Amino acid sequence: MEMLLYGLLLMIIACVSGQSLSSSDSVVKRPGESVTLSCSVSGFSMGSYYMSWIRQKQGRGLEWIGYIDTGTSTAFAQSLQGQFSITKDTSKNMLYLEVKSLKTEDTAVYYCARQSHHCVDYFDYWGKGTKVTVSSAQPSAPKSIFALSQCSAASAEFLTVGCLARGFSPADSLTFKWKSPGDKDLDTVVQYPAFGTGGDYTKISHMRVKKSEWNPQNPYICEASNSIGSVKATLTPPAPPRDQPATVILTVPTKKELDNGTATFLCLARQFSPKKYSFKWFQDGQEVTNAIHTYDTTEKNASVTLYSATSIFQISADTWTSRDTKFKCEFVHKTGNEVREAQYTASMQDCSGIAPVIDSPSLEDMLKYRQGELKCTASAENTGFTKIKIEANQFVIAEALEEHVKNKKKVELKAPIGYEEWSNGTVFTCTVEHKGEPQPKVTTFTRENGKESKRPSVYLLAPPEYKEGETMTLTCYVKDFYPKEVFVSWLVDDEPANGYKHNTSQPMQSDKYFSVYSQITVDSSEWKSGTVYSCVVYHETIDENMRVLTRSIADTIDKPGAINLSMNTAACCKQ
């Protein structure tokens, strides 16, 4: 069984529905103490399977600890003899691991796992893992907790709510528990790693709730706790939104229109509430009512309906250009009147070339770090920008108003986005407004989705024949995956391959799937010295708990050979 530690592929597979392993909560211990971890079994009998415990330290591979057979006999890894004991209570379907004389190096995530009947030295069911932190730091309870609520819904049915706990220590000691309005424990929550320094840490958890089930009489309860203490927050729906003032823009005629003999002015009022409004036009201080057309539109933003309206006023081109005429549009609304003015100058030119461009975040940021930056830029021949904004599914996530952009011929706006937004087909919209444009300029970006996803197969190819002193090329072939976004990096002896020449091809499509090649150039002397080279592949279809596929290769005395150290989600084994 100990051969499992060295080079074998550990698999997480699910061949039979209704069978699962549930791990105990995270714990924090001091050096020298002991801890007993538990694992609840459901859907099968431990009397028919070998059960193992495996751990993974930060930044390290999986390490097998030991097993208990179908009876009570146990076996442990040679290097871990004496510190661990494994027991079980078949009447309660519980598996236990006792760790004695804890040391700081025992800090790890501990997994319970079932050995497969059909695949020797493979595991077909795993618990989610229990984080054990061994620290001599004095633990402290969380000092405060804050409820977080989404201002508007990401969909018509759901809202995201969250909790932020602060002032606790050590970093890995805190866990969140959520209760529904019916006082039922919830497990469909997300908990992010803690951040902070010097014994003062912060941690965030969030979940999605149905709008129809959330009201002031039925709050959700969020509790953050560690071994020292706990704090709670009650989450109730936010108060109804306040009246929304409009963003008002007055556009002037373009040069092309003036050449055709007319001058059209558009007064645009966007995203206001409530609906009741009116427009007034003035020429040289006198109100005018001729040749005016007004229309409005509505848009739904979560539970709030926002309105937009446009008023159009047209005169002859000569009236606009031949004398020092001033035009004014006044938007009348409950939240306050907005006035915009325009006066002809000879320097006014056509700005029809304005076209916003969205630069998507890098694949490394999204697939490796799970967060990135979306950038929108736009250029014009003249100053006069009044706004640039970026929206995600019609929810504004970044915005720059007129005071920040009016004196620029080129505007740029960045917005941070998360992996979930990027991967689920969120529509990102960039809108640019300019005084020389009758309508805002809009462009969108969304990541292609819609086909059946497929996890890549990864092959690391040994170098061809080479001569001493020459450089050589290792090739990583990433094959048959969908969607097409993939990121490939290299490690040299488990360290990033900084200073090495490596590159990855653009995705190549065959039928409905994609493939890429990634190559790294190395020195033959390094290869002969036994240096281990690893190709690391990031793709959204890889199991969330593992995040990457890794293939490693090194020279041996006899011949080059591939060492498979990956953690893949495999198909069911054939009997």
Side-chain angles (χ1 to χ4, degrees):
M1 190 67 178
E2 285 187 25
M3 291 181 63
L4 175 64
L5 291 173
Y6 309 107
L8 284 174
L9 180 67
L10 301 180
M11 295 187 176
I12 305 173
I13 63 176
C15 299
V16 184
S17 61
Q19 303 181 9
S20 64
L21 301 173
S22 300
S23 303
S24 52
D25 292 336
S26 300
V27 294
V28 178
K29 291 290 183 178
R30 298 176 68 83
E33 294 182 340
S34 298
V35 67
T36 299
L37 309 180
S38 64
C39 181
S40 175
V41 172
S42 126
F44 66 92
S45 171
M46 289 188 290
S48 302
Y49 292 90
Y50 280 41
M51 303 296 297
S52 284
W53 284 93
I54 299 162
R55 69 180 179 182
Q56 186 173 28
K57 299 178 182 179
Q58 178 96 22
R60 305 289 294 277
L62 295 173
E63 180 182 22
W64 178 73
I65 298 171
Y67 71 74
I68 185 168
D69 63 12
T70 56
T72 58
S73 297
T74 57
F76 297 91
Q78 180 99 28
S79 60
L80 302 177
Q81 297 281 348
Q83 189 185 6
F84 298 86
S85 63
I86 301 176
T87 57
K88 63 184 178 182
D89 186 337
T90 53
S91 65
K92 296 181 179 179
N93 291 326
M94 296 295 293
L95 177 70
Y96 301 100
L97 173 69
E98 182 182 11
V99 191
K100 307 165 189 173
S101 303
L102 285 162
K103 302 179 286 293
T104 55
E105 53 264 34
D106 291 319
T107 296
V109 178
Y110 288 75
Y111 300 95
C112 53
R114 186 184 82 172
Q115 184 174 335
S116 170
H117 276 168
H118 309 300
C119 302
V120 177
D121 289 339
Y122 287 91
F123 301 102
D124 53 7
Y125 283 91
W126 293 62
K128 289 186 177 180
T130 298
K131 180 63 180 291
V132 176
T133 303
V134 184
S135 172
S136 57
Q138 185 64 36
S140 61
K143 296 177 182 177
S144 58
I145 189 168
F146 301 93
L148 308 172
S149 177
Q150 189 174 342
C151 297
S152 60
S155 70
E157 296 183 37
F158 292 93
L159 282 167
T160 299
V161 297
C163 275
L164 182 150
R166 299 182 60 185
F168 62 91
S169 180
D172 297 316
S173 65
L174 192 85
T175 57
F176 285 96
K177 290 185 179 179
W178 287 78
K179 287 186 180 292
S180 69
D183 203 36
K184 180 182 177 182
D185 288 335
L186 302 172
D187 55 9
T188 57
V189 301
V190 176
Q191 300 194 40
Y192 292 98
F195 57 91
T197 58
D200 186 2
Y201 291 94
T202 298
K203 190 172 182 178
I204 296 173
S205 175
H206 73 72
M207 64 175 294
R208 299 185 76 200
V209 301
K210 282 189 174 181
K211 289 168 53 182
S212 60
E213 297 177 356
W214 194 30
N215 57 65
Q217 290 73 40
N218 294 304
Y220 284 85
I221 306 297
C222 170
E223 180 180 9
S225 63
N226 61 13
S227 59
I228 306 302
S230 65
V231 287
K232 291 183 179 180
T234 301
L235 288 88
T236 55
R242 295 178 297 177
D243 294 340
Q244 178 73 31
T247 299
V248 179
I249 302 169
L250 175 60
T251 68
V252 297
T254 64
K255 183 176 183 300
K256 182 177 181 180
E257 184 192 7
L258 294 176
D259 291 342
N260 291 328
T262 59
T264 303
F265 301 84
L266 279 76
C267 194
L268 300 93
R270 304 190 63 212
Q271 297 186 324
F272 58 88
S273 180
K275 182 178 181 179
K276 187 176 181 181
Y277 71 92
S278 64
F279 285 99
K280 293 182 179 180
W281 286 90
F282 299 85
Q283 179 177 339
D284 292 331
Q286 299 296 314
E287 186 172 0
V288 292
T289 57
N290 59 308
I292 296 175
H293 306 279
T294 301
Y295 64 94
D296 56 55
T297 60
T298 62
E299 61 181 88
K300 196 76 172 177
N301 190 354
S303 60
V304 183
T305 299
L306 296 178
Y307 302 89
S308 296
T310 303
S311 182
I312 304 172
F313 178 57
Q314 190 174 72
I315 58 175
S316 68
D318 290 341
T319 303
W320 170 239
T321 60
S322 63
R323 62 179 188 269
D324 193 21
T325 303
K326 292 183 179 179
F327 284 91
K328 180 173 73 173
C329 169
E330 182 177 0
F331 177 71
V332 181
H333 190 253
K334 177 183 177 182
T335 57
N337 296 358
E338 295 284 344
V339 175
R340 298 293 184 268
E341 296 182 339
Q343 184 174 5
Y344 177 77
T345 62
S347 61
M348 288 184 171
Q349 297 181 29
D350 188 1
C351 297
S352 58
I354 297 174
V357 177
I358 292 180
D359 293 326
S360 60
S362 72
L363 295 180
E364 180 177 10
D365 285 343
M366 300 315 303
L367 295 174
K368 184 176 181 179
Y369 301 111
R370 298 302 176 103
Q371 58 184 2
E373 199 171 64
L374 196 77
K375 184 172 73 171
C376 180
T377 56
S379 300
E381 293 183 2
N382 301 288
T383 59
F385 285 104
T386 57
K387 182 192 286 189
I388 179 172
K389 69 177 179 179
I390 298 175
E391 297 171 286
N393 286 343
Q394 299 186 339
F395 178 72
V396 177
I397 58 176
E399 185 175 41
L401 300 179
E402 184 172 3
E403 59 264 30
H404 302 293
V405 299
K406 63 182 180 180
N407 296 321
K408 297 180 179 180
K409 293 183 179 181
K410 180 178 180 181
V411 291
E412 178 181 297
L413 185 64
K414 298 178 180 179
I417 63 172
Y419 172 79
E420 184 177 351
E421 296 174 286
W422 175 81
S423 63
N424 66 10
T426 296
V427 178
F428 296 96
T429 304
C430 178
T431 304
V432 177
E433 298 173 1
H434 192 281
K435 290 181 178 179
E437 287 290 338
Q439 294 284 351
K441 295 293 185 178
V442 179
T443 189
T444 61
F445 163 79
T446 184
R447 182 169 167 271
E448 179 185 349
N449 281 314
K451 298 180 182 178
E452 183 179 354
S453 59
K454 187 176 186 298
R455 197 195 61 188
S457 299
V458 181
Y459 306 92
L460 184 51
L461 310 180
E465 295 294 329
Y466 63 92
K467 296 180 180 180
E468 292 290 340
E470 291 183 344
T471 58
M472 37 194 292
T473 300
L474 305 180
T475 300
C476 185
Y477 182 30
V478 186
K479 182 176 182 287
D480 293 342
F481 56 87
Y482 186 87
K484 69 178 180 180
E485 289 82 7
V486 68
F487 176 68
V488 183
S489 64
W490 288 86
L491 301 177
V492 179
D493 281 340
D494 293 331
E495 296 292 338
N498 298 328
Y500 288 78
K501 182 180 179 181
H502 54 87
N503 59 78
T504 301
S505 68
Q506 292 295 316
M508 301 167 287
Q509 187 171 10
S510 176
D511 293 329
K512 60 181 179 178
Y513 298 125
F514 294 87
S515 300
V516 298
Y517 287 94
S518 185
Q519 294 184 317
I520 185 171
T521 302
V522 303
D523 190 82
S524 59
S525 60
E526 287 188 7
W527 171 256
K528 292 297 291 181
S529 69
T531 300
V532 178
Y533 300 93
S534 302
C535 170
V536 184
V537 178
Y538 297 81
H539 191 261
E540 69 176 67
T541 56
I542 301 169
D543 187 273
E544 180 67 22
N545 293 320
M546 299 302 157
R547 299 279 291 274
V548 300
L549 295 177
T550 305
R551 297 292 183 268
S552 299
I553 193 169
D555 190 33
T556 63
I557 295 175
D558 298 322
K559 59 181 179 180
I563 307 169
N564 191 336
L565 299 176
S566 301
M567 295 160 284
N568 304 344
T569 304
C572 301
C573 303
K574 296 181 180 180
Q575 300 188 29

